[in-house]
Amino acid sequence: EDFIAPLDVAGYNYLDFRYGTDRGRFPNRVICGTESFPKLMAQVWRRTLEHPNVIGDFTWAAWDYLGENGIGGAYYGRPSTMFADYPYHLATCGDFDICGQLRPQGRMRRVMWGVDQAPALFALPPELTARPEAVTAWGWPAVEDSWTFPGQEGKPVRVEVYSNAEEVELWLNDSLLERHPVIDCKAEFQVTYQPGVLRAVNVRNGCAEEDAVLETAGQPDSLSLLAEQAAPPSGKGLVYLWAEVQDSAGR
């Protein structure tokens, strides 16, 4: 209490569970969540909104970085560890990866905040779905925005949909599989893998609204280089390129 008293804002690291009790004990204290676990983002954000003296939250971390190898790791079929050996060389805990691409937890955050109204649709590959999962406190499941798992037909796949609607429908090849409630911005499904088109649909007030689609890609047909942005007018500067393997339909 004495330490915090001279400060305009108290920074709380991994202490969101104290927001309620400390608001009662210290009603004039302004709090900012200065470091929070990404895996608990829905809980942390709910508590942030519940308490007007909490002005916001910083999650560790926004952008991935070199070092603290694997603190954001997801482990399948073996226990999790605080740090990881080779081939890890990144922390793997960022909402953005090392090249600036938004990762699944970043997509969930955009949905949670209402920046994106459409759901975010991801699948855990079949070879991982069948194994026990251990995700670190800074980690996220190894889900992918992909529905291309050749040779895995008939095997179970865990599908995660991040949504700010009341319910989500999941469709596969124009057949409705299930409708699930959204809990803490997520609806989870167990699906038998079949190639084709996987579609998640937000259900608001009983009506189908925004959707997201994953489509199975065919055989590799070409390599494409995609520029993050156009080259600077001066012709000098740094531009990131992504290399993509595409099928004949550009998937």
Side-chain angles (χ1 to χ4, degrees):
E1 182 178 0
D2 291 341
F3 172 76
I4 293 294
L7 303 178
D8 296 320
V9 179
Y12 277 31
N13 281 26
Y14 308 112
L15 293 174
D16 56 283
F17 63 91
R18 288 185 53 166
Y19 289 171
T21 55
D22 284 11
R23 178 184 173 193
R25 294 175 63 202
F26 314 110
N28 295 321
R29 178 179 293 177
V30 178
I31 296 171
C32 182
T34 39
E35 195 169 335
S36 301
F37 293 123
K39 195 167 71 171
L40 301 180
M41 70 168 75
Q43 166 190 295
V44 170
W45 191 243
R46 183 169 59 250
R47 288 172 171 169
T48 301
L49 295 178
E50 285 173 355
H51 302 291
N53 62 316
V54 180
I55 61 173
D57 176 72
F58 290 90
T59 296
W60 191 271
W63 202 285
D64 208 0
Y65 55 92
L66 295 165
E68 293 196 309
N69 302 9
I71 68 163
Y75 300 87
Y76 294 85
R78 62 189 181 97
S80 65
T81 61
M82 177 67 177
F83 299 108
D85 295 326
Y86 181 86
Y88 273 103
H89 61 286
L90 300 172
T92 66
C93 62
D95 278 14
F96 293 90
D97 69 16
I98 198 73
C99 296
Q101 295 280 66
L102 200 60
R103 298 177 67 221
Q105 59 263 46
R107 295 279 303 281
M108 182 178 184
R109 208 178 300 277
R110 289 179 61 87
V111 168
M112 183 178 70
W113 287 335
V115 176
D116 292 339
Q117 294 303 318
L121 175 59
F122 296 92
L124 186 68
E127 64 270 22
L128 300 182
T129 296
R131 302 176 191 172
E133 180 181 70
V135 181
T136 72
W138 292 271
W140 201 261
V143 292
E144 303 175 1
D145 53 348
S146 173
W147 194 243
T148 303
F149 307 115
Q152 302 295 313
E153 292 77 8
K155 295 184 178 179
V157 181
R158 190 175 91 211
V159 173
E160 295 189 357
V161 183
Y162 309 144
S163 170
N164 54 30
E166 298 92 31
E167 296 177 297
V168 167
E169 290 181 345
L170 191 68
W171 296 72
L172 179 58
N173 296 330
D174 296 324
S175 295
L176 176 61
L177 299 180
E178 290 180 290
R179 179 191 287 193
H180 283 183
V182 175
I183 300 173
D184 282 342
C185 294
K186 183 173 78 171
E188 191 172 297
F189 301 82
Q190 292 293 327
V191 180
T192 299
Y193 177 65
Q194 298 175 27
V197 178
L198 186 70
R199 181 169 170 255
V201 182
N202 278 343
V203 179
R204 304 182 190 274
N205 299 317
C207 299
E209 298 288 349
E210 310 88 356
D211 69 349
V213 172
L214 295 177
E215 189 171 355
T216 304
Q219 290 297 313
D221 181 74
S222 63
L223 282 170
S224 295
L225 289 178
L226 307 176
E228 176 193 29
Q229 60 186 10
S234 65
K236 298 179 181 179
L238 182 65
V239 176
Y240 284 96
L241 301 176
W242 278 269
E244 285 190 349
V245 181
Q246 296 185 355
D247 67 8
S248 59
R251 293 170 294 198

